[in-house]
Amino acid sequence: MKIDFAQFVDKDSVMTLVGKTKLEVMDQLISRAADLTKLSRDLIFRLVWKREQMMTTGVGGMLALPHIRVNDILHPYVIVGVCENPIEDYQGQDDLPVRVIVFTIAPDENQEAYLQLLSGISRRFRNPALLESLIDAVGNTVQIYDIIKGVLKTWLIPNFKNAGSKLF
């Protein structure tokens, strides 16, 4: 069985980010994550900033991929935010401002599946043409969603199940 990670993206998990700083846009993403997951906003906030202190999730090419794992959810949530303003203080690995942020929250159970999900997201979103299309659609979440679904619906992650354990 293969898993299409697009199943973790829905219209509620696509947003335009209106902040001008890393803190402002991450705050918007964290609030949306709390709404979608029903987890404590404070818990998500602490985990995100703990992860950011280890190493920036700004991977370069105007892309950031923040990610956390938590115990109390059954499946991953992928939130895609397109920034209205370049986020100059995100500290991307190439020092370019961030414009697209893909925030992943996943169950803490299956590390192999989690790494496959992150790897797939990274591979797919490091496409400059995709990022340019998303940035051009800023402010139009329906168009952003359609772009993402169009790109992701045929892309599948192999299911690396351990015998007797669920994927997520």
Side-chain angles (χ1 to χ4, degrees):
M1 178 176 149
K2 293 187 178 197
I3 295 178
D4 179 357
F5 95 77
Q7 70 184 302
F8 305 122
V9 178
D10 63 27
K11 290 182 181 185
D12 291 330
S13 61
V14 174
M15 58 192 301
T16 296
L17 302 169
V18 296
K20 294 182 179 180
T21 67
K22 181 177 182 176
L23 181 59
E24 290 171 350
V25 294
M26 289 306 295
D27 190 55
Q28 293 169 41
L29 287 163
I30 290 165
S31 292
R32 179 68 56 93
D35 290 343
L36 294 174
T37 64
K38 308 300 183 218
L39 294 171
S40 157
R41 187 186 181 297
D42 291 338
L43 171 69
I44 297 170
F45 182 89
R46 283 193 314 271
L47 291 172
V48 165
W49 290 108
K50 180 179 178 184
R51 170 64 186 87
E52 285 297 320
Q53 288 175 351
M54 283 190 249
M55 183 175 158
T56 184
T57 56
V59 296
M62 300 184 294
L63 178 65
L65 301 173
H67 53 92
I68 59 171
R69 293 183 351 178
V70 296
N71 289 323
D72 298 324
I73 59 174
L74 300 176
H75 63 83
Y77 293 83
V78 177
I79 303 170
V80 179
V82 180
C83 303
E84 279 188 356
N85 306 294
I87 307 304
E88 303 282 347
D89 71 342
Y90 204 100
Q91 301 167 328
Q93 293 177 0
D94 60 1
D95 293 324
L96 290 176
V98 166
R99 292 298 306 270
V100 177
I101 304 173
V102 183
F103 180 27
T104 304
I105 305 161
D108 203 18
E109 297 173 0
N110 188 333
Q111 180 159 342
E112 189 170 358
Y114 174 69
L115 293 174
Q116 288 295 319
L117 179 63
L118 293 178
S119 174
I121 291 169
S122 175
R123 236 184 354 262
R124 199 43 71 187
F125 280 89
R126 285 183 184 241
N127 176 336
L130 171 62
L131 292 179
E132 188 173 317
S133 295
L134 293 171
I135 293 165
D136 288 346
V138 70
N140 185 340
T141 57
V142 172
Q143 186 179 358
I144 292 168
Y145 176 76
D146 289 344
I147 292 167
I148 292 167
K149 284 304 211 180
V151 169
L152 301 180
K153 73 180 182 181
T154 59
W155 180 76
L156 302 175
I157 297 175
N159 180 347
F160 289 98
K161 281 187 176 177
N162 293 328
S165 70
K166 61 184 178 180
L167 181 61
F168 284 105

